[in-house]
Amino acid sequence: MRIREIASGLQFPEGPVAMDDGSVLLVEIARGTLTRVAADGKVSVVADLGGGPNGAAIGPDGAVYVCNNGGFRFHTGPDGYLRPVAQAEDYSGGRIERVSLSTGRGERVLDTVDGAPLRGPNDLVFDAQGGLWFTDLGKVREREMDRGGVYYTKADGSGAVAVARPAMTPNGIALSPDGRTLYYAETEGARLWAFDVTGPGQVRRDPWPSPHGGRQVAAAPGGHYQRFDSMAVDAFGNVCVATLLHGGITVISPDGSLATHVPMPDRYTTNLCFGGKDMRTVYVTLSGVGKLVAIDDWPVPGLRLNFNA
């Protein structure tokens, strides 16, 4: 499996979106931007959003929807890795933003659910009806933390509901190929959770002792100290989770019975997406070292998302 570097010098990239023209949209969390990386590696800013733009996805109207966590405080360690450590001193509040690709103009779509402010929106996925599932990681300070949740809203921010709240550090989120299963990755415990989708914004809940009605699919496969970040699903329904510290991509079967690990050269491997004509190119953000890389020969094609551009 050959890793091809596309761009470097990025400021904690995340949220890659493979575009039909061969470019990749991503966010630079530490820079506060939505950024485009051309196929030749040229980097250009699409929108300066401020705060902490995190996950990104194409919506039903062709615009880019961005989870903005409001901002992290970053630290560069002696090994040269950049990493988020806490809520930014100039934290600007969590929100979902819509960005026009033609103008670069960003607008706030949603910042509260049931009267409670979003703390650190992290990742998002659109269903076939154009509804938006998203996670809120919460927010961490030196001596306390805000728990997050999993939410659903229409693309315009109306009809927002809490699906699972409170939840511990929900991060990546994805749908199964048939749209009937919603997955999310828990960062802190490196757990993969699932809900059966019964309708737009509606799920079947398991009884206690499930902490929020979800069912656990997998937990820290391999017994390593690791943390789960964002994810993508392949055409066979396997969940590919970007894995922190035990840096790489953890591939988990839909029922959790099998898990494999593909190592990557960054302990802060944060996100991935599928692209290319045959959906067998995997674009991966190596956030600690600030790179976007590609694997062109992934053995299983990826699942094409409901909306693309």
Side-chain angles (χ1 to χ4, degrees):
M1 189 173 290
R2 185 174 66 88
I3 298 173
R4 170 171 57 91
E5 182 177 314
I6 301 174
S8 60
L10 303 171
Q11 297 180 38
F12 213 85
E14 255 257 47
V17 179
M19 305 293 283
D20 289 342
D21 65 0
S23 66
V24 176
L25 290 177
L26 51 78
V27 299
E28 294 183 75
I29 300 180
R31 191 182 185 189
T33 62
L34 176 66
T35 299
R36 185 188 295 269
V37 179
D40 63 2
K42 181 180 178 182
V43 176
S44 58
V45 172
V46 175
D48 189 349
L49 299 173
N54 216 140
I58 301 296
D61 56 357
V64 184
Y65 287 75
V66 177
C67 284
N68 195 313
N69 64 48
F72 287 131
R73 177 160 54 84
F74 283 88
H75 171 76
T76 301
D79 56 3
Y81 278 77
L82 182 68
R83 59 186 177 91
V85 293
Q87 178 176 304
E89 293 181 2
D90 60 350
Y91 170 67
S92 55
R95 65 264 193 188
I96 306 296
E97 295 172 311
R98 177 189 180 276
V99 179
S100 167
L101 282 174
S102 59
T103 66
R105 178 175 171 268
E107 59 180 327
R108 188 173 297 213
V109 172
L110 182 69
D111 54 16
T112 60
V113 178
D114 298 331
L118 299 174
R119 300 301 298 162
N122 187 282
D123 201 8
L124 66 167
V125 64
F126 281 94
D127 63 18
Q129 293 75 40
L132 174 60
W133 303 89
F134 71 95
T135 57
D136 185 334
L137 184 76
K139 216 65 183 174
V140 174
R141 294 168 293 279
E142 278 74 6
R143 298 190 179 187
E144 59 186 1
M145 68 181 296
D146 303 318
R147 289 192 290 177
V150 179
Y151 299 91
Y152 183 88
T153 182
K154 294 180 180 178
D156 63 3
S158 65
V161 295
V163 177
R165 184 182 62 185
M168 178 63 71
T169 58
N171 195 315
I173 192 167
L175 290 164
S176 61
D178 62 6
R180 295 179 180 177
T181 304
L182 177 72
Y183 296 102
Y184 87 82
E186 175 193 319
T187 296
E188 200 63 40
R191 295 183 178 95
L192 178 64
W193 295 92
F195 290 89
D196 295 329
V197 177
T198 59
Q202 298 176 340
V203 297
R204 184 186 67 80
R205 287 180 168 79
D206 284 356
W208 186 89
S210 170
H212 43 44
R215 68 179 184 277
Q216 181 178 281
V217 178
H224 303 278
Y225 176 53
Q226 57 197 327
R227 306 176 90 201
F228 278 174
D229 207 300
S230 294
M231 65 172 74
V233 173
D234 70 25
F236 296 162
N238 299 302
V239 184
C240 306
V241 187
T243 303
L244 308 176
L245 305 182
H246 183 50
I249 300 169
T250 303
V251 183
I252 304 171
S253 63
D255 63 0
S257 62
L258 296 173
T260 58
H261 185 263
V262 180
M264 298 294 293
D266 187 344
R267 63 175 60 94
Y268 276 87
T269 300
T270 58
N271 210 333
L272 67 147
C273 71
F274 288 95
K277 292 182 179 179
D278 58 1
M279 295 298 286
R280 286 186 58 195
T281 297
V282 178
Y283 297 98
V284 186
T285 49
L286 305 181
S287 300
V289 296
K291 294 181 179 181
L292 173 69
V293 301
I295 302 169
D296 294 312
D297 56 349
W298 196 259
V300 177
L303 177 67
R304 189 164 175 82
L305 298 174
N306 288 307
F307 302 98
N308 300 274

